[in-house]
Amino acid sequence: QKEVEQNSGPLSVPEGAIASLNCTYSDRGSQSFFWYRQYSGKSPELIMFIYSNGDKEDGRFTAQLNKASQYVSLLIRDSQPSDSATYLCAALYSSASKIIFGSGTRLSIRP
Amino acid sequence: GAGVSQSPRYKVAKRGQDVALRCDPISGHVSLFWYQQALGQGPEFLTYFQNEAQLDKSGLPSDRFFAERPEGSVSTLKIQRTQQEDSAVYLCASSHRGRNTGELFFGEGSRLTVL
């Protein structure tokens, strides 16, 4: 079992719809969780982080964390073609030195 | 500099050759990480420095891999006797916080191809 698991996709969503990306993690001691976006051929960039159970909203993005279920999600509202990318879920492990990434979910927004 | 700088951007090596990949983090950033990213996969953790101290090297796949950051700024990842399975993009990331908070700034990566 990988430490951070994501569905590899591709996930295809029509423009203007809500894209929902999911992630599970295995280390119950993990405290912090991150969503990075990676365009093809580029390096990852941080778009959201969440530390507490519940929802955190930033513009069109909402991150959700459920520590009891060891589940993290990212919702993208009003999806745009520019949102087409690979989304990487990451967890800061309880050792506080490793940041472990999932394998990423490819998201495609179709016009 | 304005961002994390990595060099070379592309490196082709013959199997058995030694390579060195350089990372120049954002000025003042205390923490530095190396990741290996194979095609279609997420970044795999290799090692982590806080200033010049290598605090975690548990992700280095073999003793052919070695990383250093002697003055707490520029870091070098060295791969000895390269193998085809070493072909990947090597990403360097830095963070301004002493304690790792996960907010990483990545360089553009060094793409290594081993023939």
Side-chain angles (χ1 to χ4, degrees):
Chain A
Q1 180 191 8
K2 280 185 68 76
E3 295 157 305
V4 177
E5 298 220 36
Q6 297 181 253
N7 187 323
S8 62
L11 175 65
S12 181
V13 172
E15 185 175 355
I18 296 175
S20 177
L21 304 162
N22 306 312
C23 169
T24 59
Y25 61 94
S26 61
D27 181 9
R28 282 197 171 274
S30 294
Q31 297 296 315
S32 308
F33 304 89
F34 308 85
W35 285 98
Y36 282 79
R37 178 176 60 202
Q38 187 173 27
Y39 291 114
S40 181
K42 300 295 186 182
S43 56
E45 55 179 339
L46 180 69
I47 53 172
M48 288 283 290
F49 60 89
I50 186 166
Y51 305 142
S52 303
N53 271 330
D55 295 359
K56 179 182 177 183
E57 188 174 318
D58 183 2
R60 296 187 296 112
F61 299 95
T62 298
Q64 300 174 316
L65 174 60
N66 183 326
K67 290 186 178 181
S69 301
Q70 296 176 242
Y71 179 87
V72 193
S73 66
L74 179 70
L75 301 178
I76 307 174
R77 290 181 299 282
D78 188 23
S79 297
Q80 304 296 311
S82 59
D83 295 328
S84 297
T86 295
Y87 289 81
L88 299 163
C89 175
L92 176 59
Y93 263 51
S94 49
S95 65
S97 64
K98 281 185 187 179
I99 299 168
I100 303 298
F101 285 83
S103 56
T105 298
R106 280 189 298 135
L107 174 65
S108 175
I109 307 300
R110 56 182 190 271
Chain B
V4 178
S5 178
Q6 292 189 245
S7 61
R9 290 291 313 279
Y10 303 92
K11 175 69 178 178
V12 178
K14 292 183 179 179
R15 191 162 55 115
Q17 188 177 354
D18 295 350
V19 300
L21 308 176
R22 175 189 167 104
C23 174
D24 197 345
I26 294 171
S27 178
H29 277 200
V30 171
S31 301
L32 185 146
F33 304 80
W34 283 99
Y35 286 86
Q36 179 190 61
Q37 188 172 27
L39 190 64
Q41 300 297 313
E44 294 281 345
F45 173 83
L46 294 177
T47 186
Y48 160 59
F49 290 87
Q50 186 168 318
N51 295 306
E52 68 278 5
Q54 189 174 22
L55 298 187
D56 191 328
K57 56 181 182 179
S58 62
L60 295 176
S62 77
D63 59 7
R64 297 186 295 104
F65 287 71
F66 172 77
E68 61 182 4
R69 193 186 185 197
E71 296 179 359
S73 179
V74 171
S75 176
T76 303
L77 176 67
K78 298 179 179 177
I79 309 172
Q80 297 177 322
R81 303 181 304 280
T82 52
Q83 304 294 314
Q84 285 187 321
E85 62 263 27
D86 299 335
S87 296
V89 175
Y90 291 85
L91 293 167
C92 176
S94 69
S95 173
H96 68 288
R97 296 178 190 272
R99 185 178 182 277
N100 188 1
T101 62
E103 298 173 57
L104 302 180
F105 296 85
F106 282 88
E108 290 298 318
S110 292
R111 181 179 296 277
L112 173 64
T113 303
V114 182
L115 303 178

